[in-house]
Amino acid sequence: MTTNPLAAALPDLDFVTDTDVLDSLSHDDAEWAPVGNALSAVRPRSTAEVQAVVAECATRGIPVVTRGAGTGLSGGANAVDGCLILDLSKMNRILEIDPDNMIAVVQPGVVNNDLKAAVAEHGLWYPPDPASAPWSTIGGNASTNAGGLCCLKYGVTRDYVLGLEAVVGGPAGAYGTAVRLGHRTTKGVAGYDMVGLFVGSEGTLGVLTEITLRLRPARAESPRTVVGAFGSIVAAGNAVAATTRLGLLPTALELLDRACLQAVEEWKHLGLSATAEALLLAQIDTPGKAGDDEAAALAQCFRDAGAEWAEQSTDEFEAEALFSARRLAYPALERLGPVLTEDICVPRSAVPRMLAAIEDIATRHQVAIATIAHAGDGNLHPLIRTPAGDDAARTAAQAAFEEMLTAAIDMGGTVTGEHGVGLLKRAGLRQEQEPGVIAMQQALKQTLDPLNLFNPGKVLGDPAA
Amino acid sequence: MTTNPLAAALPDLDFVTDTDVLDSLSHDDAEWAPVGNALSAVRPRSTAEVQAVVAECATRGIPVVTRGAGTGLSGGANAVDGCLILDLSKMNRILEIDPDNMIAVVQPGVVNNDLKAAVAEHGLWYPPDPASAPWSTIGGNASTNAGGLCCLKYGVTRDYVLGLEAVVGGPAGAYGTAVRLGHRTTKGVAGYDMVGLFVGSEGTLGVLTEITLRLRPARAESPRTVVGAFGSIVAAGNAVAATTRLGLLPTALELLDRACLQAVEEWKHLGLSATAEALLLAQIDTPGKAGDDEAAALAQCFRDAGAEWAEQSTDEFEAEALFSARRLAYPALERLGPVLTEDICVPRSAVPRMLAAIEDIATRHQVAIATIAHAGDGNLHPLIRTPAGDDAARTAAQAAFEEMLTAAIDMGGTVTGEHGVGLLKRAGLRQEQEPGVIAMQQALKQTLDPLNLFNPGKVLGDPAA
């Protein structure tokens, strides 16, 4: 029944024929990002199959949109018209765990938490922990340079990618050529940082087919949790700024407002009380008494900054429930209706000011905004909620979205801390970066992908075009 | 007396007229890398002056070779014929220290240790610590993505560069255009990682004129020092591999062989006894009792791996002397005659095998090799020593140099861990990376520097041409 010319040319590959499945593979989790009509989707099982697909698409001029679990929040994995969706979720093997060198080599479809569990059996730890870690894949994490909760102390995905195998076109050879970038060693400066260029390039430069990751030793103790409750979200922001000023370095320093806590509680019944306007959740993993001292200093810092109460949680279940609430905040709100997710990042000292600006923007545009934040990094996720089908609310939400980008840039921040540009932040990118810098990046894209085959229009595309 | 056309065109700039000074500015610290005849050298004091120089050089087709302190070890800052040397050592102002956001903004000529001292007054710490830190500049550190001793736990220069100002040509505009890359926030994924591309590009893509750096809180305690003495260098290598296997993560894990210790002692009289064949020096900065436990575990690990003795140093002067010896090993050996410095990096488990290969290569080629190493990172610096003016020894040394590169690649390693490719590792780069990957990088260089104005021939140049 298929009239897909690729399926005829590549009969051994696993093409998707069901239109419902094709629809579900045609978009990520970004609300309101445009979705094109894909020609087809395919689920390769090896680098060789990816190479064959890319070569065939290049011959036929069919754009390639690569996706993992589709948990992206910027539309980076959304179909463009006439594209092939390259679904890498079946390339999900952990190829190697090397405890002697604290390295893992994985296919792109491995789920983040599955990797964490596998390396834990060797006494190792893969730190990057986007809130989507139970579902999102390492390939997607690398393509977006995903952040997460523990970046504050342990960095982002880019800090853990040592090497890549990528299927590319252009200067390296014909489309479908596989190249190895980077190295297996902990250090290495041979040539340009091609790994850094591909990480975070959102599938616009090629297809990642293998990823070599740096690991860390597992932590000997469970981290301590410190919780502070605040009478206003701006007061919580002040506590975040004070934490940095004191030189305290928690593993994570997360902010949840009351709307988020309520949404989680109504869904999961974790036993959270949501009387405060905002909670700060921190983890400290410094071992031993020094960690106890740091936790005490952090709680005191919260109190000094005006917390209604702040304590080290002595109840492991409570601590786990709180961090679960943090991870579940986004899906909990999504249950209640369309959510447009912001991802601004500002200098840490500007967190209180940005939180105040968000409140002001919400009031002026009469939109409901719930906020979760990797507050210690200055990375805020205001979540704009609209009733389904309410076009006026949607227009107001989009205006609020763009206004928050402008406010973040004005405070020395960026339009995307960790979700990527995809489709939703293309205008913001042009607002943040000068035309010369955009031109440099477009020239790099043109050089490495002269056919504009890989995820065309994303990141550097003109949103007005 | 000058017939330098640039000086006539740019009368307000500080051109070097003394030929001895021009000679001294025409090379870095790489033994035997070829040095061309520079047309002139200039010492700009501002970004605007750099812009004027680059524009004028582009008009006249004069290559621009940028240098900082000239402590490089790969010839990356060596003159090419007819070039202008752009000496950034006068652009040495710290423009901003922002304790609230743990950020510093510096001009490229700021010396690493000067920055460390300045931020320490604010309770902050800039970790990257190449052994050249007393002399080398942040601009040079960023251009080579310099490593150092504490990378093992705290990463390399790239991990601390958030943003750059660079003077470029090509897609961004006419040569002499200044662009701002990256961000001031701790996270940010807007567009491609242009900062990562410029860091470590060894002056081949443009001129870094301002660098925004991430800082860390100062450490509350002095690190502990653990020393182990070994009867053979390979035994020391086994202890390094064992350390990683146990999940111990010292700040630094350095190896010095007897030749290095002797050379330092003869020069500086630090009171080092050099009876062992190799020393391992480790620093542990985990605070409190956990740090004591880690230090004890590390000493025990050294003993279990065959150390003649291993102890935590309780004498702060002794500990300081040992790390001074490490930092002084290279200049101490240089005093004794020409030194050709290797910079291979292998997976940590291959350290013993690589050390054995170095001994074997030294024997076969009858060359004297002293070894210092950031052993915990697998980054080894075999130092090939030759009597001055002995051409046969020099030929043997060069053969040994190339053979060590091959051995490192065969063990899954890289030809340069932290010094860069410059001139000396161009053949090694081509041996390590496949032609397609070299072609991708050459295409990037051509795209961002279409006139091939910036440090031509370095890194990606054909050494046989």
Side-chain angles (χ1 to χ4, degrees):
Chain A
M1 60 139 273
T2 177
T3 57
N4 169 9
L6 288 169
L10 300 164
D12 295 337
L13 267 74
D14 180 13
F15 281 91
V16 171
T17 50
D18 184 298
T19 52
D20 286 347
V21 177
L22 182 59
D23 283 351
S24 76
L25 291 175
S26 291
H27 63 85
D28 63 19
D29 216 5
E31 194 61 38
W32 299 337
V35 179
N37 288 308
L39 170 75
S40 179
V42 69
R43 290 167 162 156
R45 290 167 188 280
S46 66
T47 299
E49 289 193 357
V50 173
Q51 293 182 268
V53 166
V54 167
E56 196 64 35
C57 285
T59 303
R60 296 170 185 270
I62 295 170
V64 175
V65 176
T66 306
R67 65 172 280 139
T71 57
L73 290 165
S74 300
N78 280 14
V80 300
D81 284 340
C83 78
L84 177 74
I85 302 284
L86 194 61
D87 172 6
L88 299 184
S89 60
K90 295 275 167 77
M91 287 178 68
N92 62 355
R93 283 188 302 132
I94 296 173
L95 301 172
E96 184 188 351
I97 295 173
D98 174 356
D100 286 353
N101 292 301
M102 298 200 287
I103 285 171
V105 182
V106 304
Q107 289 188 313
V110 171
V111 169
N112 181 307
N113 272 359
D114 292 348
L115 175 65
K116 281 191 170 65
V119 304
E121 290 180 23
H122 299 268
L124 295 167
W125 179 38
Y126 176 67
D129 60 346
S132 61
W135 314 284
S136 64
T137 64
I138 299 296
N141 293 172
S143 293
T144 55
N145 191 11
L149 278 63
C150 76
C151 316
L152 181 55
K153 185 163 179 180
Y154 291 106
V156 295
T157 303
R158 196 272 160 272
D159 300 316
Y160 293 88
V161 182
L162 293 172
L164 294 171
E165 180 187 70
V167 173
V168 298
Y175 276 82
T177 299
V179 292
R180 293 203 160 266
L181 308 174
H183 40 80
R184 269 183 80 98
T185 49
T186 55
K187 290 159 75 180
V189 294
Y192 298 155
D193 180 9
M194 300 302 287
V195 167
L197 187 59
F198 272 69
V199 170
S201 64
E202 304 186 36
T204 62
L205 300 177
V207 182
L208 308 186
T209 48
E210 196 182 293
I211 301 148
T212 301
L213 296 164
R214 179 202 302 273
L215 305 171
R216 292 178 64 96
R219 293 179 290 186
E221 305 171 14
S222 295
R224 291 152 193 75
T225 297
V226 176
V227 188
F230 294 83
S232 81
I233 192 163
V234 174
N238 285 326
V240 170
T243 300
T244 311
R245 266 200 303 278
L246 285 178
L248 295 168
L249 193 61
T251 313
L253 179 54
E254 297 288 313
L255 179 150
L256 281 101
D257 73 1
R258 188 158 66 165
C260 293
L261 288 167
Q262 278 174 342
V264 173
E265 188 52 31
E266 282 165 19
W267 183 26
K268 291 291 182 181
H269 310 292
L270 296 172
L272 309 165
S273 72
T275 54
E277 283 302 312
L279 281 192
L280 284 181
L281 299 183
Q283 278 190 334
I284 302 266
D285 71 352
T286 306
K289 182 172 177 309
D292 293 334
D293 294 347
E294 217 174 305
L298 187 60
Q300 188 58 46
C301 168
F302 287 179
R303 285 189 288 266
D304 292 346
E308 293 176 349
W309 58 266
E311 296 297 340
Q312 179 176 344
S313 172
T314 49
D315 176 342
E316 211 169 300
F317 291 99
E318 180 198 68
E320 184 49 38
L322 286 165
F323 274 91
S324 293
R326 166 62 189 85
R327 289 196 189 84
L328 294 170
Y330 180 72
L333 284 162
E334 238 190 345
R335 279 177 68 242
L336 306 177
V339 174
L340 186 58
T341 308
E342 262 298 0
D343 176 39
I344 49 183
C345 191
V346 295
R348 287 176 271 211
S349 62
V351 167
R353 204 147 44 99
M354 188 67 221
L355 288 168
I358 293 166
E359 289 198 326
D360 174 58
I361 289 166
T363 305
R364 277 192 291 104
H365 290 277
Q366 294 188 281
V367 292
I369 299 183
T371 294
I372 49 178
H374 308 303
D377 284 317
N379 188 191
L380 312 181
H381 296 310
L383 306 169
I384 314 177
R385 304 155 61 193
T386 54
D390 181 339
D391 282 349
R394 182 173 159 154
T395 303
Q398 284 173 320
F401 184 87
E402 297 297 333
E403 212 171 296
M404 285 192 276
L405 298 185
T406 303
I409 293 169
D410 288 347
M411 293 180 199
T414 177
V415 300
T416 174
E418 59 182 12
H419 292 170
V421 174
L423 292 167
L424 292 182
K425 296 292 173 71
R426 289 179 303 169
L429 177 69
R430 280 152 197 265
Q431 195 182 341
E432 178 181 332
Q433 297 183 352
E434 50 197 317
V437 176
I438 301 287
M440 288 167 82
Q441 296 170 81
Q442 286 174 322
L444 295 183
K445 161 77 171 164
Q446 163 71 19
T447 299
L448 295 181
D449 178 21
L451 296 181
N452 196 22
L453 197 78
F454 297 116
N455 216 3
K458 309 292 173 67
V459 186
L460 297 166
D462 184 351
Chain B
M1 62 138 275
T2 177
T3 56
N4 169 9
L6 288 168
L10 299 164
D12 295 337
L13 267 75
D14 180 13
F15 281 91
V16 171
T17 50
D18 183 300
T19 51
D20 285 348
V21 177
L22 183 58
D23 283 351
S24 75
L25 291 176
S26 291
H27 62 86
D28 64 19
D29 217 6
E31 194 62 38
W32 300 335
V35 179
N37 289 307
L39 170 74
S40 181
V42 68
R43 290 166 163 157
R45 289 168 188 279
S46 67
T47 299
E49 290 193 355
V50 173
Q51 292 182 267
V53 167
V54 167
E56 196 64 35
C57 285
T59 303
R60 296 169 186 271
I62 297 171
V64 175
V65 176
T66 306
R67 63 172 281 137
T71 57
L73 290 164
S74 299
N78 282 12
V80 300
D81 285 340
C83 77
L84 177 74
I85 302 285
L86 194 60
D87 173 6
L88 298 184
S89 59
K90 295 277 168 75
M91 287 179 69
N92 61 354
R93 283 188 302 132
I94 296 173
L95 301 172
E96 184 188 351
I97 297 173
D98 174 355
D100 286 353
N101 291 301
M102 299 200 286
I103 285 173
V105 182
V106 304
Q107 289 189 311
V110 170
V111 169
N112 182 306
N113 272 359
D114 292 348
L115 175 66
K116 282 192 168 63
V119 304
E121 291 181 23
H122 298 268
L124 295 167
W125 178 38
Y126 175 68
D129 62 346
S132 61
W135 314 285
S136 64
T137 64
I138 299 297
N141 293 172
S143 294
T144 55
N145 190 9
L149 277 66
C150 74
C151 317
L152 181 54
K153 186 163 178 179
Y154 291 106
V156 295
T157 302
R158 197 271 159 273
D159 299 314
Y160 293 86
V161 182
L162 293 173
L164 294 171
E165 180 188 71
V167 173
V168 299
Y175 274 83
T177 299
V179 291
R180 293 202 161 268
L181 309 173
H183 39 80
R184 269 183 79 98
T185 48
T186 54
K187 291 158 76 179
V189 293
Y192 297 156
D193 180 9
M194 300 301 288
V195 167
L197 187 60
F198 272 70
V199 170
S201 64
E202 304 188 34
T204 62
L205 301 178
V207 182
L208 307 186
T209 48
E210 197 182 292
I211 301 146
T212 301
L213 296 164
R214 179 201 304 271
L215 305 171
R216 291 179 64 96
R219 294 178 289 187
E221 306 171 11
S222 295
R224 292 153 191 75
T225 297
V226 176
V227 188
F230 295 83
S232 80
I233 192 163
V234 175
N238 286 326
V240 170
T243 300
T244 311
R245 266 200 304 276
L246 285 179
L248 295 168
L249 192 62
T251 313
L253 179 53
E254 298 287 313
L255 180 150
L256 282 101
D257 73 1
R258 187 156 68 165
C260 293
L261 288 167
Q262 279 176 341
V264 174
E265 189 52 31
E266 283 165 17
W267 183 27
K268 292 290 180 180
H269 310 292
L270 297 173
L272 308 164
S273 71
T275 53
E277 284 302 311
L279 281 192
L280 285 181
L281 300 183
Q283 278 189 334
I284 302 267
D285 70 353
T286 307
K289 181 168 180 309
D292 293 335
D293 292 348
E294 216 174 305
L298 187 60
Q300 188 58 47
C301 168
F302 286 179
R303 285 189 290 266
D304 291 346
E308 293 177 350
W309 57 267
E311 296 297 341
Q312 178 176 345
S313 173
T314 50
D315 176 340
E316 211 170 298
F317 291 99
E318 180 199 69
E320 183 47 39
L322 287 165
F323 274 90
S324 294
R326 167 60 189 87
R327 287 194 189 86
L328 294 169
Y330 180 73
L333 284 163
E334 237 189 346
R335 280 177 68 241
L336 307 176
V339 174
L340 187 57
T341 308
E342 264 297 2
D343 175 40
I344 48 184
C345 191
V346 295
R348 286 176 272 211
S349 62
V351 167
R353 204 147 45 98
M354 188 67 221
L355 289 168
I358 293 166
E359 289 197 325
D360 174 58
I361 289 167
T363 305
R364 277 191 291 103
H365 290 277
Q366 295 189 285
V367 292
I369 299 183
T371 294
I372 49 180
H374 309 302
D377 284 317
N379 188 192
L380 313 181
H381 297 309
L383 306 169
I384 315 177
R385 304 154 62 194
T386 55
D390 181 339
D391 282 350
R394 182 172 159 152
T395 305
Q398 285 174 322
F401 183 87
E402 296 297 334
E403 212 170 295
M404 285 192 275
L405 297 185
T406 304
I409 293 169
D410 289 347
M411 292 179 199
T414 176
V415 299
T416 175
E418 58 181 12
H419 293 169
V421 175
L423 292 166
L424 291 180
K425 296 290 172 70
R426 290 178 301 170
L429 178 70
R430 281 152 196 270
Q431 194 181 341
E432 177 180 332
Q433 296 182 352
E434 50 196 316
V437 176
I438 300 287
M440 288 167 81
Q441 295 172 83
Q442 285 174 324
L444 294 182
K445 161 76 171 165
Q446 163 70 21
T447 299
L448 295 181
D449 177 21
L451 296 181
N452 196 21
L453 197 79
F454 297 117
N455 216 5
K458 309 294 172 65
V459 185
L460 297 166
D462 184 351

